[in-house]
Amino acid sequence: MDRQKYQELMGTFFEWNQPELVKIFSELLASAAAEEALTPAQIMSQNYETARANPEIHSIPGNLKDARDAIFPYFWGTDSWNNPLHLENVRGPANQASLIGAIACLLKNPNLCTDRYSQRSNELEVKAITALANLIYYHTIDPWGVFTIGGTISNLYGAKIGIERVLPGAMQVGINGRRVAGICSQAGHYSNQTVAGWLGIGTSNLIEIPTDANLSMRIDLLEETLHRLYREKTKVAYICATFGTTDGFGIDDVRAIRECAERISQEYGETMPQIHCDAAVGWTMSVLTDYDRKSNPLKFEPKLLGMIEKAQALNVGLRYADSVTIDFHKFGRGHYPSSAFIVNRREDLKYLARTVSDTPYFSDADASRDPALLTLECSRPAIGPYSVIASLNGIGLAGWQMLVARSLELAQRLKERLAKIEYCKVLNSEIISPSVNWWVLPKGRNAQEIFDRLVRNELSSEQIQRYSKEIRHLFDKRLKTMDAAVDARLGFTTSFGYCPNGVDIPAWKAVFFNPRTTDEIVDRMITSIEEL
Ligand SMILES: *Cc1c(COP(=O)(O)O)cnc(C)c1O
């Protein structure tokens, strides 16, 4: 081997060349900043045509600038969500404290599988999980948990514990043809389907309970369903309650769900199902739990204080969950992947435990500490703990309270303005939420009346189809005619979660996760609707 070339290669790619790294980071930062001047419309179109034809591997060693150049076209002008006009979905801009945390993490590149591969990063994970658990469970005694690569996987952990509860040893012998069911609401996230499919209980054994108009699981129907399932000798492994549905921010009554499951499982002599709470989006409301509305240190307006009071009452529900999913990369404005799966009682992790002999190359693993003995993943990124701890402490609880309050305020402003337009109808008006779901119908229609008739089952299927088409058509029309420099980019859902008489209700959607979105942007949305 040419030793000289080898030395150069090592020097370029395996030593810290600080000036060179700083220069390239600055260039990337500068181009990200320059992008702020652009509109959030898709700036550079994708080139899938030749993506496969030209996979591109350079033939001779280059330098760090080659690395920069290789990714730059895909970095520039593509998917910056920092723009305050982005309101499509539960994705906001990541905050800069999280960026510091995430970069620190990348520099050390720890692997959270065991202590040996991560040193103090595992300690940071324990800290981050406990900090989040204290927000959710409100100063609980013995919580534990792990970071995962997303809400889907965190939900999977909850469901898996449930299966092990009702069929002990399923990890070893499988479910052996037993019918096992999971339960969530009709407004629950589609990851519930993913989980039921991937865990082998089957998507057809995921029972979706209809919600009331406020997107909250109907407890009367849950009760009926549990009776039916137990009569049919089905094992009910878990109930996944949702705290903040993805579209309309509906919140299930976790306490009522727990009481119902406890009572009925006992009646049939069955094992209590796991009560998991998918708070992927909604967990962030728990930063409001401790806000002192009397002294009101952040000078929130009376209307906002009213919303906070309601949010505080809802937050109490989280304490009734055995386990919780938290996505820090959504309403937490953290970097991907930052999802946490948290149990209220650490002993519940025994359902996931493997022995050291199951994980031979972690033979030195310590069962009391090393997560690899219970996680689905082997190698596990540490972005989550770094993002969470940097963000929570950089921004501080009062900072978080302002951020969440501002989201609620912007959503409320939009709801109130839409409520004054007779051909519009806000669908989640009674929900304290950072998101708004609504209808826009052609001028001249009375949206409220049409909605009421839909709920009362007085519309023919032709009428339902026609109105749904109109709602979609007007959304597409705005998309075509809007001015990308001033008009917010909105989302559309074909079913926001409440399905009276089994009918899916489409909706326009706006999610206020971007702290830089202004009142003027909301007002301009109204104008753009009036101009359609
Ligand atoms: C986004 C979301 C999920 C899935 O989370 P990922 O991090 O995207 O895997 C699950 N549940 C709810 C309520 C969500 O909004």
Side-chain angles (χ1 to χ4, degrees), residues 90 149-152 155 189 191 242 244-246 278 280-281 327 329-330:
V90 288
I149 54 169
T152 304
N155 283 343
H189 190 261
S191 57
T242 311
T245 60
T246 315
D278 179 356
V281 184
D327 271 2
H329 53 231
K330 287 181 178 161

Side-chain angles (χ1 to χ4, degrees), residues 29-41:
L29 268 175
S31 51
E35 237 178 39
E36 299 272 302
L38 304 177
T39 60

